[in-house]
Amino acid sequence: MKAIRRFTVRPVLPEPLQPLSGLARNLRWSWHTETQELFRSVDPERWQAVAGDPVRLLGNVSAARMADLAKDRRFLRRLAAAADDLDDYLHGRRWYQSGDGGPDTTEFPAAVAYFSPEFGVTAALPQYSGGLGILAGDHLKAASDLGVPLIGVGLLYRHGYFRQSLSRDGWQQEHYPVLDPNELPLDLLREADGTPAGVSLALPGGRLLHAHIWVAQVGRVPLLMLDSDVEGNGPGARDVTDRLYGGGSEHRLLQEMLLGIGGVRAVRAYCRVTGHHAPEVFHTNEGHAGFLGLERIRELGESPDKGGSGLGFDAALEAVRAGTVFTTHTPVPAGIDRFDRDLVARHFADDAELPGVPVDQVLQLGTESYPGGDRGLFNMAVMGLRLAQRANGVSRLHGAVSREMFSGLWPGFDAVEVPITSITNGVHAPTWVAPEVFRLGARQIGPGRAEDALSVGGSSRWDAVANIPDAEIWELRRSLREQLVLEVRERLRASWRQRGAGAAELGWIDGVLDPDVLTIGFARRVPSYKRLTLMLRDRRRLTELLLHPTQPIQIVVAGKAHPADDGGKRLVRELVRFADDPKVRHRLVFLPDYGMAMAKKLYPGCDVWLNNPLRPLEACGTSGMKAALNGSLNLSVLDGWWDEWYEPDFGWAIPTADGAATDDDRRDELEAAALYALIEDRVAPRFYDRGTGGLPDRWIEMVRRTLTTLGPKVLAGRMVREYVERLYTPAARAHRALDASAAEELAGFKARVRAGWPQVAIDHVEAVDQDAGAGAAATAGLGSTLTLRVQARLGELRPDDVEVQAVAGRVDADDAIRDAQTFPLKPSSGPDLEGRWVYEGPMALDRTGPFGYTVRVLPAHRLIPAGADMGLVALPSEAVGQDAGMLMR
């Protein structure tokens, strides 16, 4: 008989056990081993049955067991210690409050709002699909460890992403279990009178979209999650937050409007109810939340009696840009959300959302107004960049790729000058480092210092790994590999049962994998560019590697294809069918339903982490970082973070066949052959090469170098500190400088400059070698100084409105300037009768070889960053600049 209604009955804990509730409902337990062990001791069997979820555990433990624990003095002492530790963690001074490391904490923002479409905090809160969500979860956790006053903002998907299983023939199947927020580690945000706090959005046709606000406490950081499955919404509106990355264009648009616009309103409600500091900085993690900028423009446009500043659109836009950070995660245009302009226009019309914000201005923000762009589409990343004064990619290489990809938004500037910087991702070590690895480090430097090293960093603490004996490191690696073998067999058996196999067919699983064989891991989403099946390119050669008589390898693979990606599903099936072959199935396995719980076993248990994307399409690739923190060595294409930090001392680089001359098929063939050769000639021999003590000395040294050298670099704590110092603090400073009056001033300046820019031109450039006393020559000596004299027309603009610069550096065969330096030029006279100003200034010649320079005029204002911020530049015509080259000697 099926229930007609479902609700949750929460446990009533005995008074001495009340602190368990607070420990369970703060997700710090998900990365705090001692708290997990406390919950495990409540009921070890049930802890295993509920997959390590304290909220579910407390709802399933018998009253008799609770009564016993309430009288257990040893347990109560442990409980009191855990509760005190959490209280100290939540309220003690941390890096952000102390300024340890140099930054002036008075400059730090009072609070930062961090928006993301997905958050991977713990498997007990399945609101993630892949790397973007895991990164967002790690960002929140690291911010909590550092004391950064962050507020996370996302959506609560009632079905999460999806659970993956396999059919008998290996085809991916999706399942969408219903998630009841009352059974999750969440609390409903309530007003002072106890009613649920909520937000509403106006939809076309006079409809409303309502959402409640659930709060997950991630250590010190609140994560606000909007839920549209509430009474008062019609069926379509209730389903807006049904699935992560599901539905058609309008469904996705509504999700992103709720995330961005509704998210800002949720932050305002949270701060009003709790007294939390209002954010000075808004950070959008990818373009999905880009509409948050429009809501903030609407807020500023309201009259002062309604809490706004009465700003016009242009002034409000400047104020919003000053305090906004945009992070792009995709290196390919196809990975960006784009909507039909008419669909967007309908949802921002007068009878829909954001009244008072002109719909044509909204559309302009997302228009691909550059060569090759589709003006019929609304691009969320383009809008994100136009609404943020600061933007970044997620690795050094990805920053360069992003500057090239979005360079059309800044015409006239070289890609290197596009204002997109990079902060390389990191991972939250307390989440991803196996307890056994942590304990080994803690024995060496002490538990407190080990925890601090994982959370905050500090290379001196990591250097202590050098003193751990080889035998202990190797025994740990063998133990972790053995744990993975047992985990794989258990998961593989469950998968085959789901595929319809009976117990009599599965005896072979007891022989799958060997704890003494070199183990390679490959686990990630399955878009085509990540090349799940590159390893299958030459199946004969792969089989030889798997079955090598003295140096065999074994491979554990996992990954999900998007439900709408049949191409990705075919790749999964291709690999599964190979792994089903009785000849190799004990050496290569595919594990379905890849998620955080599986990953925590997979990363530590693998000796080598494999990554073979098409370069440069991997924005960062943080899975290899998590493996490295557990002593796994990386075997990867030089892409993402590995391109930045690879050294032969702690891993291997797979050679690539980049270049337009190589077609995709040939490229895969060449790179697969290089992968096989690396494994056969270098990786496997080093693993199996035993020294005099029976240990693989050279392999252990690589593990040691991985931990000491890469360890401090790949931490999310390092990443968040960089965000605070390089992006959040400058954004907060700009936000404070741009009050209503300054915003109006800046908007007026930009309007005046844009109107007058067509009249700005460079008429003449000449150079005088001060040492030679002559005019521009074909050569000049190292160390000499040129005086540049430029005639520039400014039209209606004044010298204070612009900056005139010389740009100089070495030139290549095409006369393109490389490693450019800029030299400011100052007005010396003008205007003449034709409106020309003369600018002069010195240019030092400090390098030899082919050298060149040019000059340019840029807008300049105290409230905008120097360079390409406005996307306006005046350059010499070819006739003016034709003799600007110079050869150094």
Side-chain angles (χ1 to χ4, degrees):
M1 187 177 297
K2 189 173 183 180
I4 63 170
R5 187 177 179 187
R6 175 193 176 110
F7 58 94
T8 298
V9 180
R10 290 193 172 180
V12 178
L13 297 174
E15 182 62 30
L17 301 183
Q18 285 296 319
L20 282 173
S21 179
L23 290 170
R25 304 197 78 78
N26 190 307
L27 294 176
R28 189 212 182 196
W29 62 258
S30 69
W31 71 88
H32 192 248
T33 303
E34 288 84 353
T35 305
Q36 293 174 24
E37 291 302 321
L38 176 71
F39 280 113
R40 186 191 309 275
S41 69
V42 168
D43 190 327
E45 289 187 10
R46 290 187 186 275
W47 177 255
Q48 187 74 18
V50 299
D53 180 346
V55 173
R56 290 173 59 200
L57 174 75
L58 296 182
N60 283 273
V61 176
S62 69
R65 174 59 178 163
M66 287 297 188
D68 289 342
L69 288 173
K71 296 180 289 187
D72 185 334
R73 287 185 294 177
R74 183 181 178 192
F75 180 84
L76 293 177
R77 284 196 298 270
R78 292 177 63 199
L79 174 58
D84 288 345
D85 182 75
L86 177 61
D87 184 73
D88 180 67
Y89 175 85
L90 296 178
H91 302 107
R93 287 172 61 84
R94 306 191 76 79
W95 171 83
Y96 197 83
Q97 289 73 38
S98 68
D100 181 25
D104 180 0
T105 56
T106 62
E107 294 272 299
F108 286 174
V112 176
Y114 179 87
F115 287 64
S116 179
E118 52 175 305
F119 285 91
V121 179
T122 169
L125 189 62
Q127 300 289 307
Y128 60 91
S129 72
L132 178 69
I134 300 299
L135 181 278
D138 283 5
H139 196 108
L140 299 194
K141 296 174 193 175
S144 174
D145 291 341
L146 294 169
V148 180
L150 210 69
I151 302 173
V153 185
L155 301 180
L156 178 65
Y157 304 98
R158 287 300 185 102
H159 297 280
Y161 190 42
F162 70 89
R163 303 296 300 272
Q164 178 197 45
S165 63
L166 301 172
S167 69
R168 186 71 189 221
D169 72 344
W171 187 256
Q172 172 179 295
Q173 298 176 318
E174 297 91 28
H175 312 276
Y176 294 90
V178 177
L179 301 175
D180 181 352
N182 292 291
E183 297 176 352
L184 299 173
L186 302 171
D187 291 297
L188 193 62
L189 183 67
R190 295 184 180 275
E191 302 285 357
D193 62 3
T195 59
V199 302
S200 296
L201 271 66
L203 302 180
R207 296 174 296 132
L208 289 175
L209 170 62
H210 303 286
H212 284 168
I213 306 164
W214 294 89
V215 183
Q217 198 63 40
V218 186
R220 299 166 72 116
V221 173
L223 169 57
L224 314 183
M225 309 182 80
L226 281 74
D227 173 19
S228 71
D229 189 8
V230 300
E231 293 183 10
N233 280 336
R238 292 191 79 137
D239 291 341
V240 166
T241 55
D242 57 351
R243 299 176 181 179
L244 176 59
Y245 302 142
S249 289
E250 183 166 17
H251 188 78
R252 290 286 293 276
L253 178 64
L254 288 174
Q255 286 188 338
E256 298 187 6
M257 289 177 63
L258 182 59
L259 174 60
I261 299 169
V264 173
R265 295 173 186 174
V267 169
R268 304 305 186 205
Y270 179 81
C271 293
R272 185 190 71 250
V273 170
T274 65
H276 195 288
H277 285 296
E280 294 184 283
V281 175
F282 286 76
H283 182 180
T284 175
N285 191 37
E286 254 310 337
H288 308 281
F291 289 125
L292 70 86
L294 298 181
E295 168 63 6
R296 294 175 60 216
I297 288 172
R298 183 201 64 78
E299 289 180 328
L300 291 169
E302 288 193 328
S303 60
D305 61 296
K306 293 183 178 180
S309 301
L311 294 178
F313 180 88
D314 290 341
L317 171 61
E318 296 305 329
V320 166
R321 289 187 74 245
T324 301
V325 173
F326 174 75
T327 298
T328 175
H329 288 263
T330 179
V332 289
I336 297 169
D337 275 345
R338 301 156 88 203
F339 298 105
D340 185 273
R341 281 171 59 91
D342 292 339
L343 178 66
V344 176
R346 188 164 70 251
H347 283 79
F348 288 95
D350 291 340
D351 66 338
E353 195 44 75
L354 301 184
V357 179
V359 67
D360 60 322
Q361 298 276 28
V362 173
L363 295 175
Q364 185 176 340
L365 287 169
T367 298
E368 298 179 354
S369 55
Y370 44 79
D374 187 338
R375 292 177 175 267
L377 294 176
F378 185 92
N379 186 308
M380 294 296 290
V382 166
M383 177 179 67
L385 289 166
R386 286 178 172 147
L387 285 171
Q389 195 173 76
R390 287 162 183 82
N392 69 287
V394 292
S395 69
R396 185 174 60 192
L397 178 59
H398 179 235
V401 170
S402 298
R403 288 189 288 274
E404 189 70 45
M405 186 166 77
F406 293 110
S407 61
L409 295 175
W410 290 271
F413 291 89
D414 292 340
V416 70
E417 293 189 282
V418 167
I420 300 175
T421 186
S422 65
I423 292 179
T424 302
N425 284 343
V427 298
H428 186 246
T431 294
W432 300 108
V433 170
E436 296 85 354
V437 177
F438 176 81
R439 285 194 289 267
L440 182 61
R443 286 202 301 272
Q444 190 67 32
I445 64 174
R449 297 186 73 224
E451 184 173 3
D452 190 44
L454 292 180
S455 299
V456 181
S459 59
S460 61
R461 297 184 179 102
W462 289 81
D463 287 345
V465 174
N467 300 321
I468 300 175
D470 285 5
E472 289 190 35
I473 291 177
W474 187 241
E475 178 56 32
L476 172 64
R477 293 298 315 147
R478 207 263 178 197
S479 173
L480 293 172
R481 199 182 311 116
E482 187 171 40
Q483 289 181 39
L484 176 61
V485 169
L486 297 176
E487 178 83 5
V488 166
R489 290 174 183 173
E490 182 179 340
R491 287 180 176 273
L492 194 61
R493 184 172 283 106
S495 173
W496 272 95
R497 284 174 177 164
Q498 281 187 316
R499 296 173 70 182
E505 301 176 68
L506 301 180
W508 60 274
I509 290 179
D510 291 333
V512 166
L513 304 189
D514 183 329
D516 292 311
V517 167
L518 171 61
T519 304
I520 299 175
F522 182 102
R524 48 191 42 86
R525 292 183 302 112
V526 192
S528 59
Y529 77 87
K530 291 182 183 282
R531 297 194 293 185
L532 171 74
T533 56
L534 185 71
M535 64 182 75
L536 303 183
R537 185 73 188 194
D538 185 337
R539 300 187 181 203
R540 178 195 59 79
R541 194 164 181 192
L542 174 61
T543 301
E544 290 174 352
L545 292 172
L546 294 169
L547 304 180
H548 194 284
T550 58
Q551 297 179 348
I553 67 170
Q554 55 196 15
I555 307 177
V556 182
V557 184
K560 292 179 176 179
H562 187 279
D565 181 10
D566 282 350
K569 292 180 183 180
R570 282 191 287 271
L571 295 178
V572 170
R573 183 173 61 183
E574 183 181 355
L575 193 135
V576 170
R577 286 180 171 177
F578 180 82
D580 285 349
D581 185 340
K583 186 164 63 173
V584 298
R585 65 188 181 186
H586 64 299
R587 286 280 187 261
L588 190 150
V589 297
F590 180 89
L591 301 179
D593 208 29
Y594 179 48
M596 292 186 73
M598 181 193 298
K600 287 189 175 186
K601 293 290 187 181
L602 194 53
Y603 297 134
C606 291
D607 301 294
V608 172
W609 195 256
L610 174 62
N611 189 30
N612 48 232
L614 282 168
R615 186 180 189 273
L617 302 185
E618 183 81 273
C620 186
T622 54
S623 63
M625 295 179 172
K626 298 163 194 148
L629 283 172
N630 287 284
S632 178
L633 309 182
N634 275 268
L635 169 61
S636 176
V637 164
L638 288 177
D639 203 1
W641 75 277
W642 193 235
D643 177 77
E644 196 167 336
W645 290 331
Y646 159 73
E647 291 181 22
D649 290 344
F650 44 71
W652 298 271
I654 303 171
T656 55
D658 300 3
T662 307
D663 63 50
D664 292 346
D665 191 62
R666 177 61 175 161
R667 179 173 180 173
D668 284 356
E669 182 180 341
L670 292 172
E671 294 183 12
L675 171 62
Y676 299 138
L678 267 176
I679 294 173
E680 184 173 28
D681 299 337
R682 296 172 60 189
V683 180
R686 180 156 295 193
F687 180 86
Y688 289 105
D689 179 25
R690 299 297 191 262
T692 54
L695 299 175
D697 300 324
R698 292 195 301 159
W699 187 277
I700 293 171
E701 183 56 30
M702 291 182 75
V703 171
R704 200 186 305 276
R705 287 298 304 273
T706 292
L707 293 171
T708 58
T709 306
L710 280 182
K713 293 181 179 180
V714 301
L715 297 180
R718 183 270 313 155
M719 171 189 73
V720 171
R721 289 201 311 273
E722 286 194 44
Y723 273 105
V724 169
E725 294 167 3
R726 294 176 50 202
L727 295 178
Y728 294 165
T729 298
R733 194 180 302 126
H735 162 79
R736 293 165 191 163
L738 221 64
D739 58 17
S741 175
E744 294 280 15
E745 175 196 336
L746 182 56
F749 167 81
K750 287 190 173 183
R752 182 165 54 82
V753 167
R754 288 192 179 102
W757 202 256
Q759 303 171 45
V760 177
I762 295 173
D763 280 358
H764 181 72
V765 179
E766 62 178 322
V768 176
D769 186 336
Q770 293 180 349
D771 297 328
T779 62
L782 178 66
S784 61
T785 300
L786 295 181
T787 296
L788 295 181
R789 184 175 294 117
V790 177
Q791 290 184 348
R793 296 177 185 269
L794 302 185
E796 298 297 320
L797 303 183
R798 302 288 298 171
D800 288 348
D801 297 328
V802 302
E803 179 177 357
V804 180
Q805 298 175 339
V807 182
R810 289 193 178 90
V811 294
D812 61 19
D814 298 319
D815 285 340
I817 298 173
R818 305 297 182 192
D819 300 320
Q821 292 178 287
T822 59
F823 301 88
L825 307 179
K826 301 298 182 183
S828 61
S829 65
D832 63 15
L833 294 177
E834 297 184 20
R836 294 176 297 196
W837 295 78
V838 176
Y839 282 77
E840 291 184 340
M843 182 176 69
L845 305 180
D846 61 355
R847 62 194 77 180
T848 59
F851 189 87
Y853 69 88
T854 186
V855 295
R856 65 184 181 184
V857 184
L858 303 170
H861 190 281
R862 61 184 175 82
L863 293 173
I864 63 173
D869 182 73
M870 285 187 65
L872 298 176
V873 61
L875 297 165
S877 67
E878 187 174 342
V880 171
Q882 63 186 355
D883 62 348
M886 180 166 293
L887 179 67
M888 296 297 300
R889 68 173 185 266

